[in-house]
Amino acid sequence: MPGETILLIGASGQIGAELTMLLRSQYGNSNVVAADIKIPVGELAESGPFEELNVLDRNRIAELADKYKLTQIYNMAAMLSATGEKFPQKAWQLNMDGLINTLEVAREKGIKKMYWPSSIAAFGPTTPKTDTPQITIMEPNTIYGISKQAGERWCEWYFLKYGLDVRSIRYPGIISYKTEPGGGTTDYAVDIYFKAKQTGKYTCYIAENTLLPMMYMPDAIKATLQLMDAPADTIKVRSSYNLAAMTFSPKMVGEAIKKHIPDFELTYDVDFRQKIAETWPGSIDDSAARADWGWQHEYDLDKMTADMLKHIK
Ligand code: AKB
């Protein structure tokens, strides 16, 4: 896809770091500008351009749009659910103003396509818990979830009002080994693999039978690129697409790990994040994503567990 120049804001984060590298392999290193308040190290820093950027600085995003003649913006910068409950004003400012800044720059500068992630957190305690439909009751009661739901409305509004080609996915919990997540409720599903490999035990802050929708990073990246590559007229949902791969509880992931590390010890010390998890769906109906742009996941719990344990040193 020649002629594209992409800005990825939040490039040092869990999803941003891997997405930047995949976009660079697809569009050419110099055509994908990584941006974050946190300076990256390693291959992300060495493989292409980096700009220090606070997503709250709209003028600087506009400057970068001119400097690089941007055609696409991915805004991956966010404060996640658990940290958001501790710093509600900051979470709201970062998640909402950050989104509106990128939508506005995209509109003003004639950006061709924009990506912004939503989350299963946009659902709430009154949402049907099993096979949560694409269109359903959404009454989130975390600040992060409220910002994601409001953000979805803003994205759809920019599409309807200005024709801005903005696309979005409601990510489930994302599991990866390259870059740590930070401040999420689903982070346990990453920590458990690192602790299993490094110490043989893990104390989980989520109760043993709490089911949450989850996805392995390669699937999350594949879905994001697939959605962004799909022809605009196939994108029927302009708020955000449900996306699913697997659903598991801490107990189920513990059992999957025990197939590789039989002495693995899993104990529980439940904290405030349990209450957040209880307001989210247990499983997701993603038939719209499968029908509209051909989404198919590859990893289930066992396949992901084998891969995670193989890669963690
Ligand atoms: C979180 O736990 O806050 C995130 C999410 C599900 O969006 N991982």
Side-chain angles (χ1 to χ4, degrees), residues 175 193 216 246 248 300-308:
I175 293 111
Y193 287 104
Y216 198 30
M246 60 184 111
F248 58 74
D300 62 14
L301 177 57
D302 282 334
K303 193 169 175 188
M304 173 180 78
T305 300
D307 204 60
M308 282 292 283

Side-chain angles (χ1 to χ4, degrees), residues 75-284:
N75 174 6
M76 309 300 289
M79 189 182 286
L80 300 186
S81 55
T83 311
E85 292 307 281
K86 292 185 182 154
F87 306 103
Q89 312 286 337
K90 269 193 176 162
W92 183 255
Q93 191 191 20
L94 176 66
N95 297 355
M96 291 318 317
D97 293 352
L99 170 61
I100 292 166
N101 285 347
T102 45
L103 287 166
E104 258 310 279
V105 172
R107 181 186 69 79
E108 276 167 19
K109 302 288 177 188
I111 298 292
K112 281 201 296 197
K113 265 189 247 181
M114 187 181 138
Y115 182 79
W116 173 80
S118 185
S119 160
I120 53 164
F123 299 114
T126 52
T127 301
K129 261 207 165 325
T130 308
D131 290 334
T132 300
Q134 175 66 46
I135 297 172
T136 187
I137 301 166
M138 297 173 87
E139 297 184 311
N141 63 4
T142 62
I143 288 298
Y144 173 65
I146 297 167
S147 74
K148 288 298 180 190
Q149 206 224 353
E152 290 188 9
R153 301 286 89 224
W154 273 102
C155 288
E156 192 186 84
W157 187 81
Y158 265 78
F159 171 73
L160 294 172
K161 186 93 179 169
Y162 301 117
L164 180 68
D165 188 354
V166 51
R167 306 176 182 199
S168 176
I169 284 172
R170 291 173 182 150
Y171 289 125
I174 305 294
I175 293 111
S176 65
Y177 58 84
K178 288 190 185 161
T179 308
E180 265 181 88
T185 301
T186 60
D187 294 5
Y188 92 82
V190 175
D191 298 345
I192 194 169
Y193 287 104
F194 279 86
K195 293 286 182 336
K197 199 72 189 269
Q198 291 160 355
T199 67
K201 41 183 144 170
Y202 180 64
T203 302
C204 188
Y205 58 80
I206 295 291
E208 62 178 344
N209 292 317
T210 309
L211 289 171
L212 285 171
M214 300 280 185
M215 182 174 287
Y216 198 30
M217 183 65 90
D219 273 339
I221 301 288
K222 185 176 82 173
T224 309
L225 297 180
Q226 211 179 336
L227 171 66
M228 289 300 275
D229 284 345
D233 60 359
T234 61
I235 312 297
K236 305 278 190 292
V237 176
R238 289 296 179 164
S239 50
S240 191
Y241 275 98
N242 277 8
L243 194 74
M246 60 184 111
T247 278
F248 58 74
S249 63
K251 188 174 171 192
M252 287 159 75
V253 67
E255 278 158 12
I257 291 172
K258 275 192 191 153
K259 291 182 196 164
H260 301 262
I261 307 174
D263 295 336
F264 176 56
E265 277 173 44
L266 181 54
T267 51
Y268 296 89
D269 184 10
V270 168
D271 72 15
F272 73 100
R273 288 168 282 191
Q274 176 64 23
K275 277 217 160 69
I276 299 176
E278 281 170 11
T279 70
W280 291 351
S283 60
I284 297 287

